[in-house]
Amino acid sequence: MSSFRFDLLLILVFAIHFAPGLSDLVISKLDRRIDLTSQIVRMTLTLKVENTGTDPVSEVSLTFPEHQANNLALLVAVSTKGKGKSRGSATNLPIKIKQPNDSPPSLIWYAASLPKELGKGESLNMDVLVVFTHMLRPFPEKITQAESQLFLFQESAHFTSPYNVKVQSLTVKLPSENVESYTKLENTKFSGSEIKYGPYENLPALSYSPVIIHFPSNTPFAVAKELVREIEISHWGNVQVTEHYNLIHGGAQSTGEFSRLDFQARPHLRGASAFRNLIAMLPPRAHSIYYRDAIGNISTSNIYGDSSKTLLEIEPRYPMFGGWKTSFTIGYGLPLQDYLFQLGGTRFLNITFGSPMNDVLVENLTLKVVLPEGSRDISVSVPFPVKQSQETKFSHLDIAGRPTVVVEKINVVPEHNQYFQVHYKFSNLSLLTEPLMLICGFFSLFVACIIYMHADFTISKSSSSYLAKLQWDEVQGTIQQLQDIINRCLLIHDKLEASLRELSRNGDVQACKAVRKSADGLLKDFSKESKPLLAILQSSPQAAHILPKVEELMFNRHRWKQRGPLLFGHRNLLE
C-alpha cells in the first residue's frame, strides 16, 4: 500500500510540472473495462485519438504506474479508422518501451507506432488489451479451511494517460455480486457484479484518482512456478508433447488444521478456497495421453473429446489450498501431418506456445523443441518477445545429438497460447540413418557370435586342458564310427530276419543260405573295422568310463537272438 501511494505522489508531481507540454494529441473518448473474475487481470481500452496540433504524429504513448508495469504480461494495441459500417480493418501496432528523460521511474512509458502518420485534424480509433498478473492481493493473507478468500485491487478511476481526455469511464467486472467494500467517487454506480466510475469529462493529462476494491473470489488461483514443455518431432509420424508442472495455489495462505472429513462432507463450505481439478484443452487428435507424478500414474483423470477438441480433466492427489504445492507431468502424442509442413526445401513446425490449461498462470515457461538429428538452418518465429537459445539432446541411436530449440518466457497467460513456427532443413536420406544402424548392429552381433563359436581361444596348445579336449574330441569321433558300424549290423540283422520269414513261408532254403553267407562276410568286415577303433578307446584315458559299454555292444552284435538287449545297449551308448 505504501509503494502505491508513493507512485501516486510521483505521478502527480510529474503531471503538475511536465504534462502541459507533452503533445498536441487529445483523447476525445476513452472507455476502460477491467475484468477481475480470475487471478489474471485483463484491462481493455477503447479510445479515440485526435491530432489537434499542426505537426503529424507517428506514435501514441501509453503510460502505466510502475507497480502495474512490473506485472505486465501482455500489451496489444490495434488501430482502425472510421466508425460503424465505414470502419476499416484493424492494424496491429508495434509497441516498445520509450521512457522520456524527465519522467520519474514510477511511471513507465510505452509507444505504439502508427502505420501512417496522423495529420492535423485527423483521428483514429484504438483498441488496447492489457493483461496483468499478481495484481490481486489476498486480504487477509491467511485464512482457515472454512473461510473464503478476499482480495484487494488498487486502481485509478482515471486512466493515467499522457494526453488530455475529454470523456472517459471505467467499468470493473467482479466475480460475483458480493463485495466487501469499494471506493465511492462522484458518478459511481454498483449494479449486479459491475462497478462503474464515470463518465468524467475534461480530465488533464496524467490525472489520477485512486480506488480500492475489496471483494471475495474463490476462483482457482493455480500458479505454475515452473513449466517445462518439451515438443519432440519424429519424422516417422508423431509429435510427442511432454509438460512438467510445479504448481502452487497462489491465493490466501491456508492456516490451521486440515480436516479431510469436513472437506468431503461439505466441500463448498469447508473448502471453498481450494480447487480440486484443472481442465487441459488438448488438440482434437491427441492420443496416448497420460497424467502422472513422482509416485506414478494418477488415475483421477478423465478425457472428453469431440471433433474440435480433447478435454483432459486432471485431479491432484489432494485438494489444493492456499500455499499448497504439487508437481505432475502430462504427455500426449499428435499426428505429424497436422503440425509439420514443408515449403520448398524447408520444413516448419506450427504449434501453440503456452499451457493448454486456461486457469493456470505460468511464471516461468521453458519450451523445448527437439528436432530430428541432422536438422540444420534452424530459425524460430514467435509473435511476442522471448529469450531464445539452442542445445543438444542425446537419445537412443543418436550420434551427434538432436538439435533443440529452447524458448523461455516469464508471466505467460492464456493469451500467449498462440501459434509459433520453427523452421529447419532436413534431408530425407537422414531418415535411413537409424534403420541402417540397427541392421549393421544386428549383423555385427551375428558375425561376432559365429566367430566366437568357431574360434579357438586357447592360450597354450600344450596345456593339459587343451590336450584333454583334443583327446575327448578323438573319443567322440571314434564312438561315432562305432555307432555307424553297429547301425549297419542292425540292418544286416533285419535282412536275416526277413529271410527267415520268407523261408517259413515258401521253404526256399537256398535263398536263406545265400543271405546268411552274405551277412557273415559283411560282419567279418565290420569286425575288422572295429578292432582299430576299439584299440583307440582302450588307449585313451578319456574313454575309460564308456569303454565297458562299447565292448559289451560289440560282443552282443553276434548274438542274433538277443536284439532287445542289443538295442538297449545301443541306446545307452548314444546317451
Side-chain angles (χ1 to χ4, degrees):
M1 183 71 74
S2 59
S3 62
F4 176 74
R5 292 176 178 174
F6 183 70
D7 291 347
L8 172 60
L9 179 60
L10 290 179
I11 291 172
L12 292 176
V13 171
F14 179 77
I16 294 172
H17 291 281
F18 301 101
L22 283 174
S23 175
D24 291 328
L25 290 180
V26 173
I27 299 179
S28 58
K29 186 177 181 181
L30 190 154
D31 292 325
R32 188 163 50 120
R33 292 186 61 87
I34 299 178
D35 188 349
L36 303 181
T37 56
S38 70
Q39 63 171 328
I40 300 171
V41 177
R42 295 173 173 86
M43 178 191 300
T44 57
L45 296 92
T46 302
L47 51 122
K48 183 177 181 180
V49 182
E50 297 179 356
N51 186 2
T52 59
T54 57
D55 298 328
V57 177
S58 60
E59 60 184 27
V60 176
S61 296
L62 301 170
T63 53
F64 298 94
E66 186 181 18
H67 73 279
Q68 290 186 347
N70 290 338
N71 297 308
L72 181 64
L74 183 69
L75 176 58
V76 179
V78 297
S79 68
T80 56
K81 283 196 173 184
K83 60 181 180 179
K85 294 182 179 180
S86 62
R87 188 169 184 172
S89 60
T91 304
N92 287 324
L93 304 180
I95 298 178
K96 62 181 179 180
I97 296 179
K98 191 174 183 180
Q99 194 79 5
N101 295 329
D102 52 1
S103 174
S106 60
L107 189 65
I108 310 301
W109 293 64
Y110 296 86
S113 300
L114 301 179
K116 181 181 178 182
E117 289 187 342
L118 193 65
K120 177 183 178 181
E122 293 182 343
S123 65
L124 64 83
N125 298 313
M126 289 181 60
D127 294 319
V128 181
L129 171 64
V130 193
V131 181
F132 299 103
T133 61
H134 303 295
M135 288 292 292
L136 301 180
R137 185 166 65 89
F139 187 79
E141 296 182 353
K142 295 182 179 181
I143 59 174
T144 63
Q145 177 182 348
E147 294 178 309
S148 295
Q149 296 181 125
L150 296 174
F151 292 91
L152 283 178
F153 176 67
Q154 303 171 353
E155 185 50 82
S156 171
H158 306 161
F159 181 62
T160 54
S161 170
Y163 313 113
N164 295 331
V165 181
K166 293 182 179 180
V167 179
Q168 75 163 282
S169 62
L170 168 64
T171 302
V172 180
K173 173 71 174 177
L174 301 177
S176 66
E177 298 181 358
N178 300 324
V179 62
E180 293 291 312
S181 63
Y182 63 94
T183 303
K184 297 180 176 62
L185 303 175
E186 183 182 0
N187 294 339
T188 301
K189 182 180 179 181
F190 181 38
S191 176
S193 60
E194 294 185 347
I195 303 175
K196 185 173 182 181
Y197 294 94
Y200 303 108
E201 298 180 355
N202 299 323
L203 296 177
L206 298 177
S207 177
Y208 205 94
S209 179
V211 296
I212 299 177
I213 303 175
H214 192 204
F215 63 97
S217 177
N218 288 316
T219 55
F221 274 65
V223 179
K225 289 293 184 179
E226 183 180 13
L227 167 59
V228 179
R229 193 164 186 251
E230 184 176 273
I231 303 172
E232 185 170 355
I233 300 174
S234 171
H235 282 177
W236 296 102
N238 189 59
V239 177
Q240 182 64 36
V241 182
T242 308
E243 301 177 355
H244 306 277
Y245 289 83
N246 288 328
L247 204 69
I248 187 174
H249 189 306
Q253 296 282 322
S254 178
T255 185
E257 295 182 352
F258 168 68
S259 172
R260 169 70 73 170
L261 179 62
D262 290 344
F263 179 80
Q264 292 293 120
R266 294 178 293 176
H268 297 291
L269 296 178
R270 295 290 180 175
S273 62
F275 64 87
R276 300 186 63 175
N277 54 24
L278 294 169
I279 303 294
M281 186 176 295
L282 307 181
R285 299 180 64 186
H287 61 85
S288 305
I289 303 171
Y290 63 86
Y291 165 49
R292 58 173 178 250
D293 58 9
I295 300 176
N297 184 61
I298 305 176
S299 60
T300 52
S301 61
N302 294 293
I303 299 175
Y304 313 93
D306 54 30
S307 59
S308 61
K309 62 183 179 300
T310 299
L311 297 180
L312 171 63
E313 180 184 7
I314 63 175
E315 183 176 338
R317 295 186 183 273
Y318 44 83
M320 294 292 293
F321 284 86
W324 290 18
K325 301 178 181 179
T326 186
S327 299
F328 59 86
T329 299
I330 64 173
Y332 51 92
L334 300 172
L336 182 68
Q337 64 270 20
D338 292 354
Y339 298 92
L340 188 67
F341 307 94
Q342 187 168 358
L343 183 61
T346 303
R347 305 169 191 256
F348 66 94
L349 175 73
N350 187 44
I351 199 168
T352 53
F353 181 83
S355 169
M357 302 182 193
N358 289 334
D359 293 332
V360 176
L361 162 65
V362 182
E363 291 188 349
N364 295 282
L365 171 64
T366 301
L367 176 63
K368 298 182 179 181
V369 181
V370 183
L371 301 176
E373 188 177 26
S375 301
R376 64 186 190 279
D377 299 338
I378 303 170
S379 62
V380 184
S381 177
V382 186
F384 37 79
V386 293
K387 179 183 178 182
Q388 298 183 22
S389 61
Q390 287 192 19
E391 61 183 30
T392 302
K393 177 183 178 180
F394 286 89
S395 184
H396 52 275
L397 300 179
D398 287 342
I399 299 176
R402 305 185 183 190
T404 302
V405 176
V406 181
V407 179
E408 299 178 74
K409 185 169 180 58
I410 61 173
N411 280 348
V412 179
V413 293
E415 283 77 5
H416 286 127
N417 202 17
Q418 305 176 32
Y419 281 90
F420 74 103
Q421 295 77 38
V422 178
H423 300 261
Y424 65 97
K425 291 183 179 180
F426 182 81
S427 173
N428 288 329
L429 294 177
S430 300
L431 288 173
L432 301 177
T433 302
E434 293 185 357
L436 290 176
M437 289 179 61
L438 289 174
I439 293 172
C440 293
F442 281 108
F443 179 77
S444 301
L445 177 62
F446 293 148
V447 170
C449 291
I450 293 172
I451 294 175
Y452 177 79
M453 295 299 295
H454 291 79
D456 183 5
F457 295 98
T458 305
I459 298 176
S460 174
K461 301 288 186 180
S462 61
S463 63
S464 58
S465 60
Y466 180 71
L467 295 176
K469 181 179 182 301
L470 291 179
Q471 292 176 1
W472 176 245
D473 291 340
E474 184 181 13
V475 169
Q476 285 184 320
T478 303
I479 292 175
Q480 183 63 42
Q481 295 180 45
L482 289 172
Q483 184 176 340
D484 292 339
I485 293 173
I486 293 172
N487 289 334
R488 284 183 284 174
C489 290
L490 290 176
L491 291 175
I492 295 172
H493 179 264
D494 291 340
K495 289 181 180 181
L496 288 173
E497 283 190 345
S499 68
L500 290 175
R501 286 194 296 270
E502 289 292 327
L503 177 63
S504 63
R505 187 173 58 85
N506 54 24
D508 189 355
V509 177
Q510 295 300 325
C512 183
K513 286 182 177 181
V515 173
R516 172 65 184 270
K517 185 178 180 179
S518 174
D520 288 341
L522 291 174
L523 289 174
K524 289 179 180 180
D525 294 338
F526 292 159
S527 179
K528 291 179 181 180
E529 291 182 27
S530 63
K531 285 181 179 180
L533 298 177
L534 288 172
I536 293 174
L537 294 179
Q538 291 170 355
S539 63
S540 176
Q542 297 290 337
H545 66 286
I546 200 172
L547 182 60
K549 293 184 179 180
V550 174
E551 291 177 341
E552 181 182 357
L553 286 173
M554 299 305 297
F555 174 76
N556 287 336
R557 78 179 189 273
H558 299 292
R559 301 175 64 183
W560 303 105
K561 296 182 181 180
Q562 296 181 0
R563 183 182 180 185
L566 180 62
L567 292 175
F568 180 78
H570 177 55
R571 294 191 188 97
N572 289 342
L573 174 61
L574 295 179
E575 293 176 356

